[in-house]
Amino acid sequence: MALEKIRSTTVLGVVHNGQVALGADGQASMGNTIAKSNVKKIRKLLDGKIVTGFAGSTADAFTLLERFEEKLNAYSQNMKRAAIELAKDWRTDRYLRRLEAMMVVANKDELLVISGTGDVLEPDNQIAAIGSGSMYAQAAATALKKHAPHLTAEEMVREGLSIAADICVFTNHNLIIEKPTG
């Protein structure tokens, strides 16, 4: 009998009016069961200059976070370069290829999505979402950017994640939202 992996769910990042915010819900699921309701899926790196969020297998995500931090140190804290190098390794390394997770990384200027297929995506609309509730959160944030431009990036992330939690059974209302520092 195979054990089901614990999976993390919804992460949303927004760049808006010179601000960047990245948030996630707190639910980890094992199959159709809530395994934990207050998981912290957002991590600060480099004294808060870079904020990361993950979705997918929790253990796999921590492995990727460690590797990303190593790449940041190897490439003079250049987030984009570190992300590209991690994606290359992830795609070609036999061990890393098996990892089942995705990451959103943000600094004070930009958001990137890093996937296991070797992709580093810079979202066109400056909204990045991953995980089971990602499309709900992304749709909500897109509407907020278009119709409520007076909101801050943090408010858009909070509301986008709340809307996702109202719709997606794998997303809850235990939110953590962080902003990268200068």
Side-chain angles (χ1 to χ4, degrees):
M1 182 170 163
L3 292 175
E4 292 189 59
K5 289 185 180 181
I6 295 177
R7 299 203 175 266
S8 301
T9 52
T10 306
V11 176
L12 176 64
V14 172
V15 178
H16 182 67
N17 290 338
Q19 302 173 335
V20 179
L22 184 64
D25 74 305
Q27 185 166 307
S29 304
M30 191 179 305
N32 293 330
T33 303
I34 297 170
K36 189 167 171 75
S37 64
N38 61 349
V39 175
K40 186 179 179 205
K41 301 176 209 169
I42 301 294
R43 296 286 189 270
K44 290 182 179 183
L45 304 175
L46 302 176
D47 296 322
K49 291 178 186 166
I50 294 181
V51 180
T52 65
F54 61 86
S57 170
T58 304
D60 291 354
F62 283 120
T63 299
L64 292 170
L65 285 170
E66 287 174 10
R67 293 285 181 109
F68 181 62
E69 194 164 24
E70 289 171 10
K71 296 295 182 187
L72 283 168
N73 291 326
Y75 293 100
S76 304
Q77 302 179 356
N78 181 323
M79 184 180 81
K80 192 177 284 188
R81 177 76 191 272
I84 290 166
E85 294 301 323
L86 175 64
K88 282 184 196 176
D89 287 355
W90 196 351
R91 186 172 176 197
T92 59
D93 183 274
R94 185 176 225 131
Y95 170 72
L96 291 178
R97 260 195 318 238
R98 293 189 181 109
L99 299 182
E100 297 177 14
M102 290 182 75
M103 293 173 51
V104 175
V105 297
N107 62 21
K108 65 180 182 61
D109 300 313
E110 64 185 340
L111 290 166
L112 300 172
V113 177
I114 309 171
S115 79
T117 57
D119 295 318
V120 176
L121 305 171
E122 195 170 359
D124 288 336
N125 57 3
Q126 298 186 309
I127 298 170
I130 58 173
S132 57
S134 63
M135 292 300 103
Y136 307 118
Q138 184 173 354
T142 300
L144 290 168
K145 274 188 99 163
K146 183 175 182 178
H147 299 290
H150 63 280
L151 295 177
T152 66
E154 183 176 355
E155 290 168 329
M156 290 180 182
V157 168
R158 185 174 310 287
E159 190 60 26
L161 288 170
S162 292
I163 289 169
D166 289 342
I167 299 168
C168 178
V169 297
F170 296 108
T171 305
N172 70 16
H173 287 277
N174 291 340
L175 309 179
I176 293 178
I177 301 170
E178 296 286 353
K179 297 182 286 186
T181 60

